[in-house]
Amino acid sequence: MMHGNGHGRVHPAAASSSDFSGEMNQSSVSAPSSDPSSSPLYSFHFEKPVPSPPPQQPPPPPPGTYVVQVPKDKVFRVPPPENARLFEHYTRRAKRRRGCSCVRVCTCVLAVLLALAVLLAAVAGVMYLVLMPKRPSYTVQSLAVSGLAGVGNASSTSPAAFSPEFDATVRAENPSGKIGVSYEGDKSSISVSYGGVPLAGGEWPAFYQGPRNVTVFVAKAKGSGIRLSQGVRGQMATAERLRSVPFDVDVVVPVRLQLGKVKTWAVTARARCTVAVDGLAAGAKVVSRACDVKVGFLSWRN
């Protein structure tokens, strides 16, 4: 049995082992050591613990964003049924908002158009009061008739075809002091009839009439292959004997009012004149005349 010093301990199993006999004998002979760890039986290896790497932090979010943390128990793989109800609710509200937006847009557009119409009407009223335009006057000074000679002598069984022609000398006066009148002849028309039967047609000449201007011109109308009934021929022959043959002259002509170089939009002027002549010849004289002129909302009577 081995005796140990007060500083070291010997395990019985180690003492009985043959592998450690020499070491034990040597340790018994040698001087006792003050440090038990110096013995071969007591060898210690101290290692400095390696610190674990710090957990990687997620990169900070860009400015202007928000990070919302949702608890795990609130995360669902299948949307809850109340989400469908919320979706339907917000969808209906969005449709109502779109409908209201369309109504508001239409209301605003109508309000703007109405305001523009009122503004234009106000400007037109002011211009009318400032400029004080006066109505033009028209007078048929003469009406030369040809192509109707012998209308009362035509046979009743085989009435002849006539080719009447009318040359109307018209006097147009513009009494306005600042506004001119521009006549567009290419879109105008003149028709002459007797008792509702068309006899001839033509165009109103195109010209510009300045302020306080009097213009005298000749408007021509022609017809061909006109066949008149016996009753119309008899009425015309009777009127010729009475030296008062009435003809209806219808005029349709676009006109533009002009102030300096500024022109208004084209307005259709319509005139209906009843002119009676004393005969069916080129030298016929006008015995009576009357005209109704309408331009837009104005009604002029001469």
Side-chain angles (χ1 to χ4, degrees):
M1 183 173 181
M2 297 298 295
H3 298 278
N5 53 19
H7 299 281
R9 292 183 299 176
V10 178
H11 296 278
S16 60
S17 176
S18 60
D19 296 335
F20 296 96
S21 60
E23 294 177 1
M24 292 298 297
N25 292 332
Q26 184 177 0
S27 62
S28 62
V29 176
S30 60
S33 175
S34 61
D35 188 4
S37 63
S38 62
S39 174
L41 296 178
Y42 296 91
S43 60
F44 301 95
H45 181 71
F46 297 96
E47 295 181 356
K48 186 177 181 181
V50 179
S52 60
Q56 296 183 357
Q57 298 293 333
T65 59
Y66 300 90
V67 178
V68 179
Q69 295 182 355
V70 180
K72 292 183 178 180
D73 57 347
K74 298 298 183 181
V75 178
F76 302 96
R77 293 184 179 273
V78 179
E82 57 267 15
N83 286 7
R85 292 193 296 269
L86 291 175
F87 176 76
E88 293 179 0
H89 171 71
Y90 287 118
T91 302
R92 289 194 299 267
R93 188 167 67 177
K95 289 181 180 179
R96 288 196 298 268
R97 288 181 178 178
R98 286 196 297 269
C100 295
S101 299
C102 293
V103 172
R104 285 196 295 269
V105 170
C106 294
T107 304
C108 292
V109 171
L110 291 177
V112 171
L113 293 178
L114 182 60
L116 289 177
V118 172
L119 180 61
L120 291 176
V123 172
V126 172
M127 294 292 292
Y128 182 85
L129 294 176
V130 171
L131 300 177
M132 294 296 293
K134 298 179 180 180
R135 62 181 184 180
S137 61
Y138 306 97
T139 304
V140 179
Q141 293 182 339
S142 64
L143 183 64
V145 183
S146 61
L148 291 176
V151 65
N153 301 327
S155 174
S156 60
T157 57
S158 57
F162 297 93
S163 298
E165 296 184 8
F166 298 88
D167 293 343
T169 302
V170 181
R171 180 181 185 274
E173 181 180 359
N174 178 20
S176 299
K178 298 180 180 180
I179 297 178
V181 182
S182 178
Y183 298 92
E184 299 182 358
D186 55 344
K187 300 179 182 179
S188 65
S189 65
I190 298 177
S191 61
V192 181
S193 61
Y194 176 85
V197 179
L199 298 177
E203 292 184 354
W204 185 277
F207 64 95
Y208 169 74
Q209 188 175 20
R212 295 179 180 175
N213 177 266
V214 175
T215 303
V216 179
F217 60 93
V218 177
K220 297 180 177 292
K222 296 181 180 181
S224 62
I226 305 299
R227 296 185 180 274
L228 303 176
S229 64
Q230 183 180 4
V232 173
R233 286 186 282 110
Q235 293 176 4
M236 193 175 296
T238 302
E240 185 179 13
R241 287 194 298 269
L242 296 176
R243 304 185 65 83
S244 179
V245 184
F247 292 100
D248 295 326
V249 181
D250 294 295
V251 179
V252 177
V253 56
V255 298
R256 296 176 185 268
L257 300 182
Q258 184 170 342
L259 178 62
K261 295 183 179 180
V262 179
K263 291 183 179 181
T264 64
W265 55 89
V267 179
T268 301
R270 301 178 184 272
R272 178 69 180 267
C273 298
T274 301
V275 182
V277 293
D278 59 357
L280 299 177
K285 297 180 180 179
V286 176
V287 296
S288 65
R289 62 181 70 89
C291 291
D292 284 337
V293 182
K294 296 181 180 180
V295 181
F297 57 89
L298 299 176
S299 179
W300 297 337
R301 188 176 187 86
N302 295 303

